[in-house]
Amino acid sequence: MYDVFRQNFQQYLSLYRQELASNPFLLNVISPFYGLSDFTIYEEWKLSNDLRYYEASNIIHELMDNPSLPAYLRDLGNSFLEHGYDSIAGSDFDPDVVKEQMKLLYMMTSSAN
């Protein structure tokens, strides 16, 4: 699932480049996906105590802890954990942004199931 996410994220970036450049909300939504798609970036965020590390880790926590999500999204969360990512709950993140992140993850990975 991790590789599916990485491939689909890169494809998403290439398809929606212009929309991303002109939409600050969407940029905010996908910002932690850069670390989720590249463990080196994620580790850099972690070592520098960057807020994006916590946001990416919160996404993984949401994937693991939200029973309303499809099972394959929990599988994606497990895949992140298997690749060395952390699951950390973060109540400081905007619930609307987290909801959009879950929708985007669903969109990026639903075709694989």
Side-chain angles (χ1 to χ4, degrees), residues 38-62:
D38 186 331
F39 190 73
T40 303
I41 292 172
Y42 180 80
E43 280 292 300
E44 288 173 9
W45 292 348
K46 182 177 183 176
L47 292 173
S48 65
N49 207 31
D50 191 300
L51 181 63
R52 291 172 293 184
Y53 159 74
Y54 294 101
E55 189 172 13
S57 298
N58 182 67
I59 289 171
I60 296 166
H61 175 77
E62 184 72 16

Side-chain angles (χ1 to χ4, degrees), residues 73-97:
L73 284 179
R74 285 190 292 283
D75 292 343
L76 176 61
N78 281 322
S79 184
F80 282 124
L81 294 176
E82 290 168 2
H83 281 85
Y85 289 83
D86 301 318
S87 171
I88 301 173
S91 61
D92 296 336
F93 299 108
D94 183 343
D96 291 333
V97 172

Side-chain angles (χ1 to χ4, degrees), residues 1 3-5 7-9 11 70 72-73 103-113:
M1 285 299 290
D3 291 331
V4 169
F5 164 74
Q7 292 169 353
N8 289 347
F9 178 60
Q11 184 178 18
Y72 70 86
L73 284 179
K103 286 180 185 177
L104 194 51
L105 284 171
Y106 174 80
M107 183 192 78
M108 288 181 184
T109 57
S110 63
S111 63
N113 291 298

